[in-house]
Amino acid sequence: MKTLAMTIVLGMLAAAAAAQVKGIHPRAVPLVAHDPYFCVWSFNDRLTDDWARHWTGAVNALSGIIRIDGKPYRFAGLGLQDVPAIEQTGLEVWPTRTIYRFEAGGVELKLTFLTPALMDDLDILSRPVTYLTYELRSTDGQPHRVSVYTDISGEWCVNTPNQQVTWAREKIGGLMSLRMGTQEQPVLAKKGDNLRIDWGYVYLVVPDQPDFRSVIARDEASRKGFASSGLLPESDDTRMPRAANDQWPVMAVAFSMEGVKEPVQRQIMIAYDDLYAIEYMQKKLMAWWRRGGMEFGAMLAQAEKDYASLKRRCEAFDAELMADLKAAGGEAYATVGCMAYRQAIAAHKLVDDGNGQPLFFSKENFSNGCIATVDVTYPSAPMFLLFNPILLKGMTTPILDYAQTSGRWKFPFAPHDLGTYPKANGQVYGGGENSERDQMPVEECGNMLIMVAALANIEGNADYAKKYWPTLSKWAAYLRDKGLDPENQLCTDDFAGHLAHNANLSLKAIVALGGYAQLCEMLGKSAEATDYRKVAEGMAQQWMRMADDGDHYRLTFDKPGTWSQKYNLVWDKLLGLNLFPKEVAAKEIAYYKTKQNRFGLPLDSRKGYTKLDWIVWTATLADNQADFEVFIRPIASFIAESPSRVPLTDWYETEDGKQRGFQARSVVGGVFIKLLEDGKTAAKWRTRAGK
């Protein structure tokens, strides 16, 4: 009875959420979203308008053709322009799924891309497998002869298409596996931002199903043969190695179905074996799913076995999360959260540290390519605090170990990063390990202390902080000395340049010291707790006098007539510090409402651009949902109307919605801060992660 009731409830949630999700029309749509290398999108409204693309914009060709009673139609990609595009009748974007609907000749095709990004199960989260499911049914009550074809190109496994590739096929239990990779296999040889992976192997995997054929062949031979006759080349192409753009070798699969009337389903998997994923302090680390010695074939077999249960779990998760988002912040907020979910996860790589502990490395996508950047972890933190704090620890631990035990970090403040993705071998930003040039001392100390305090609040103890107490104490002392009125230095919004007397940066330092006082109290250090609490309270009082500008607070203490989003203040609320009276946030919210533009609230008075994540943090300062929604609705409009067709950017112009920089970054995980504010909802999700 309980199971039936739960099924009914989830069905109602799904129906309600579906009505909202069908209204999401993003400028780019996630298809395959796992990590910074295995992340493929459609940059168009219709899947037939262009090739699928890596988040960087490089083509990762995905071709789809359907034959209905002998007539071919394209449903994915640009191949065979003489074959007409099928009518796309629907698009739904969910947190873990993207669903396209097509219709022609009395047949509907429902195509689902399922990436089971479930953060309460790290084994599942880490698997580099996306499921493509084809559901076919008659729409006119008549039976139809239908066949469906899909291929992917060698572009999925190269950095540039002139690189030489090889291929093979193998049988893995009941799976037919097609594999392609570069001949050179330069494992972890490159580092940088605008790069694609050119080591390891991309797989097109077909579970044992009726009437399927597969081939590895040049694109024209494969696609034209299927479109004209429904047939594929009789044997695999053997001319290899050759460049990925030399007659474009593709891995293809086709299914044939006679008399389709009632719903029929077929399924394939696209997967990637990266062999080694991250270099951390000169040591090559493997993906989390490999710990314990699991081989790729065994992982694929388990992924296929789990498909039915994962499909149910993802459908339930999507419906429940969308309902929570809508309840917390309205329909616009549900749109923002949905579009942020897969992207934020896919800007990371989950690996085993070699001792069975998970490390979760971020990449600064189209920012500077840095790995494990502290001021990228900080804005994304709410998502991982909400769904699984272990993942946030997986981001902060490498930084804390680097600062405390490596012997290489000589400064009294926190580092900015650990290198350039995928090599986490030591800071490279600014002066690196050698000088204080272009460092972010107050920024990164504040970020680390706030995140460790947030972890302690969630876990109900400061055991994690205790391990790193000498380092945390050093950073707290630095903020005590330097945090109230920061010198001319960078903050996380470094694209805006150096800024002295930054009021929002000062807020971060004050809140961080309040968080440190909480940690002291939890560890039984009562005298230090009292001392730092008084320091933070005194600094808060000074801040209010120094930043006051009548009906709002200034951008910098020394410049009247300026303003800025005080997004860092949100942690005073979330950590229950109460260092600042509620009137501070109320005055800012009232003022911000007079500064909104069509697509959102500018970052500050200097420019018209904004940061998407910070708007949601700022909106969370509001004491009522109506005011929160005032700031969120323009973001949803931006997602739907921006002229920049790229994976969700967090830095854009509020007047015209044009991308200013950045895309596909993890920082959009910060939009979940509103759910983190709701103690009951946050506890529900955390409990599932801890089961």
Side-chain angles (χ1 to χ4, degrees):
M1 193 70 178
K2 183 178 179 182
T3 302
L4 176 60
M6 181 60 73
T7 301
I8 292 172
V9 169
L10 290 176
M12 293 171 64
L13 285 173
Q20 164 60 19
V21 174
K22 288 178 180 178
I24 297 176
H25 301 287
R27 310 307 284 152
V29 179
L31 305 178
V32 176
H34 289 277
D35 60 50
Y37 287 136
F38 192 33
C39 187
V40 179
W41 296 62
S42 168
F43 284 36
N44 300 87
D45 292 329
R46 292 179 294 273
L47 198 55
T48 53
D49 284 350
D50 193 6
W51 293 115
R53 295 178 180 269
H54 189 262
W55 69 262
T56 59
V59 170
N60 277 193
L62 169 73
S63 179
I65 304 169
I66 183 171
R67 286 171 52 88
I68 301 171
D69 297 324
K71 184 174 181 179
Y73 303 87
R74 284 183 296 114
F75 66 83
L78 290 175
L80 303 183
Q81 287 292 291
D82 57 334
V83 173
I86 193 171
E87 181 185 3
Q88 182 176 305
T89 58
L91 169 62
E92 301 173 27
V93 182
W94 296 82
T96 67
R97 295 171 294 146
T98 294
I99 303 171
Y100 289 93
R101 294 179 187 274
F102 308 94
E103 191 169 337
V107 172
E108 180 190 66
L109 165 63
K110 177 183 175 184
L111 174 65
T112 301
F113 294 82
L114 169 63
T115 299
L118 300 171
M119 284 185 274
D120 63 348
D121 190 330
L122 298 188
D123 288 335
I124 298 300
L125 182 70
S126 174
R127 283 183 193 165
V129 177
T130 285
Y131 304 90
L132 273 66
T133 304
Y134 312 84
E135 296 175 75
L136 297 139
R137 68 177 184 89
S138 172
T139 59
D140 60 7
Q142 301 300 310
H144 296 276
R145 181 165 44 91
V146 181
S147 52
V148 180
Y149 166 99
T150 303
D151 76 48
I152 60 174
S153 72
E155 292 156 301
W156 289 61
C157 60
V158 297
N159 180 40
T160 58
N162 61 343
Q163 289 181 280
Q164 300 273 310
V165 295
T166 64
W167 50 85
R169 67 167 60 230
E170 62 179 318
K171 190 82 171 170
I172 304 172
L175 306 175
M176 174 53 67
S177 170
L178 309 180
R179 183 186 80 184
M180 191 175 293
T182 59
Q183 180 188 31
E184 184 185 5
Q185 288 297 306
V187 179
L188 292 169
K190 297 181 179 71
K191 61 180 180 179
D193 193 0
N194 190 4
L195 293 176
R196 275 71 42 198
I197 194 168
D198 59 2
W199 72 87
Y201 300 91
V202 63
Y203 284 74
L204 187 62
V205 183
V206 190
D208 188 17
Q209 295 165 91
D211 300 318
F212 82 83
R213 291 149 291 144
S214 63
V215 73
I216 306 172
R218 61 187 178 91
D219 62 338
E220 266 198 16
S222 185
R223 294 168 191 162
K224 282 187 175 180
F226 178 82
S228 62
S229 66
L231 301 177
L232 299 180
E234 293 185 359
S235 60
D236 291 341
D237 195 325
T238 59
R239 187 170 70 85
M240 60 175 175
R242 73 177 193 247
N245 61 5
D246 181 355
Q247 293 191 317
W248 301 103
V250 298
M251 301 184 294
V253 61
F255 298 97
S256 297
M257 292 150 280
E258 295 290 336
V260 172
K261 185 175 180 181
E262 299 302 319
V264 178
Q265 179 175 306
R266 296 292 185 268
Q267 173 226 323
I268 64 173
M269 300 185 288
I270 300 178
Y272 206 102
D273 182 5
D274 59 12
L275 307 177
Y276 287 94
I278 295 290
E279 185 174 295
Y280 175 47
M281 296 304 159
Q282 314 300 327
K283 181 181 179 181
K284 293 180 180 179
L285 302 182
M286 293 182 176
W288 177 253
W289 65 265
R290 279 191 179 275
R291 78 192 191 292
M294 178 172 276
E295 297 294 334
F296 194 77
M299 184 276 293
L300 286 178
Q302 188 61 49
E304 165 55 19
K305 182 179 178 181
D306 292 342
Y307 168 70
S309 63
L310 287 176
K311 180 176 181 290
R312 290 192 297 269
R313 287 172 63 184
C314 286
E315 289 171 351
F317 172 83
D318 288 346
E320 187 174 7
L321 177 55
M322 292 298 287
D324 281 355
L325 288 164
K326 186 174 180 180
E331 292 186 358
Y333 183 52
T335 294
V336 176
C338 179
M339 290 310 304
Y341 186 82
R342 263 179 287 174
Q343 173 173 311
I345 294 170
H348 297 83
K349 186 67 178 183
L350 183 61
V351 299
D352 178 7
D353 72 349
N355 299 303
Q357 294 300 310
L359 300 180
F360 199 43
F361 288 98
S362 65
K363 178 180 181 293
E364 285 204 53
N365 289 341
F366 274 13
S367 178
N368 67 1
C370 276
I371 188 170
T373 302
V374 174
D375 57 284
V376 167
T377 296
Y378 174 68
S380 73
M383 180 175 181
F384 304 106
L385 284 165
L386 178 69
F387 293 106
N388 195 338
I390 289 173
L391 291 169
L392 181 56
K393 287 183 180 179
M395 289 186 270
T396 55
T397 295
I399 292 289
L400 288 163
D401 284 341
Y402 174 58
Q404 182 159 297
T405 64
S406 73
R408 291 169 50 183
W409 187 250
K410 307 296 186 182
F411 303 110
F413 49 80
H416 168 274
D417 64 83
L418 285 182
T420 302
Y421 196 91
K423 295 176 179 287
N425 293 326
Q427 179 166 317
V428 295
Y429 187 83
E433 297 178 345
N434 301 315
S435 77
E436 296 191 25
R437 176 178 58 85
D438 290 342
Q439 301 277 12
M440 299 186 186
V442 172
E443 173 71 36
E444 309 302 16
C445 287
N447 291 339
M448 291 301 296
L449 287 172
I450 289 171
M451 289 189 289
V452 173
L455 283 165
N457 269 260
I458 281 174
E459 295 182 335
N461 66 74
D463 293 348
Y464 181 70
K466 186 176 181 180
K467 179 180 178 182
Y468 299 104
W469 197 247
T471 297
L472 297 173
S473 296
K474 179 167 61 177
W475 295 343
Y478 185 89
L479 292 182
R480 181 174 185 163
D481 183 41
K482 302 282 191 179
L484 175 60
D485 190 5
E487 300 166 345
N488 189 35
Q489 60 185 250
L490 294 170
C491 71
T492 184
D493 305 315
D494 54 355
F495 49 82
H498 288 72
L499 193 65
H501 318 297
N502 185 334
N504 188 45
L505 187 57
S506 175
L507 272 177
K508 179 172 289 182
I510 296 167
V511 172
L513 289 173
Y516 179 74
Q518 279 188 341
L519 293 171
C520 291
E521 187 68 35
M522 296 174 81
L523 291 172
K525 301 177 185 293
S526 299
E528 291 172 68
T530 299
D531 180 29
Y532 270 93
R533 174 71 191 187
K534 287 182 179 178
V535 168
E537 289 174 344
M539 290 170 72
Q541 292 299 314
Q542 293 181 73
W543 186 93
M544 287 186 284
R545 292 192 298 271
M546 294 162 64
D548 187 49
D549 207 43
D551 60 351
H552 69 281
Y553 295 95
R554 299 173 182 177
L555 166 66
T556 63
F557 297 134
D558 61 335
K559 292 182 180 177
T562 61
W563 65 273
S564 64
Q565 291 189 42
K566 306 301 188 300
Y567 53 81
N568 287 315
L569 183 60
V570 73
W571 291 103
D572 187 49
K573 183 179 185 180
L574 296 180
L575 296 178
L577 299 173
N578 301 314
L579 293 167
F580 293 85
K582 292 182 179 180
E583 290 76 18
V584 172
K587 184 160 71 170
E588 286 290 277
I589 289 294
Y591 187 78
Y592 297 150
K593 288 197 289 187
T594 70
K595 298 297 180 181
Q596 287 240 92
N597 289 327
R598 178 184 175 191
F599 292 116
L601 177 67
L603 183 64
D604 57 49
S605 52
R606 291 174 292 178
K607 301 281 187 178
Y609 57 60
T610 195
K611 286 285 271 82
L612 182 150
D613 44 338
W614 296 150
I615 293 179
V616 183
W617 287 33
T618 294
T620 304
L621 292 171
D623 62 5
N624 63 82
Q625 184 168 322
D627 277 351
F628 176 82
E629 291 190 40
V630 164
F631 297 103
I632 303 304
R633 284 193 292 270
I635 302 177
S637 296
F638 159 74
I639 289 173
E641 301 173 32
S642 170
S644 303
R645 305 213 69 137
V646 298
L648 190 58
T649 176
D650 54 288
W651 182 25
Y652 65 90
E653 296 287 348
T654 57
E655 292 281 5
D656 59 16
K658 290 182 179 178
Q659 175 191 29
R660 186 64 184 259
F662 312 153
Q663 66 194 48
R665 298 211 307 167
S666 65
V667 301
V668 297
V671 307
F672 288 92
I673 201 163
K674 181 65 174 176
L675 287 188
L676 194 63
E677 179 194 27
D678 180 348
K680 185 177 179 180
T681 300
K684 176 189 72 173
W685 290 110
R686 285 198 304 274
T687 298
R688 294 181 189 180
K691 65 185 177 182

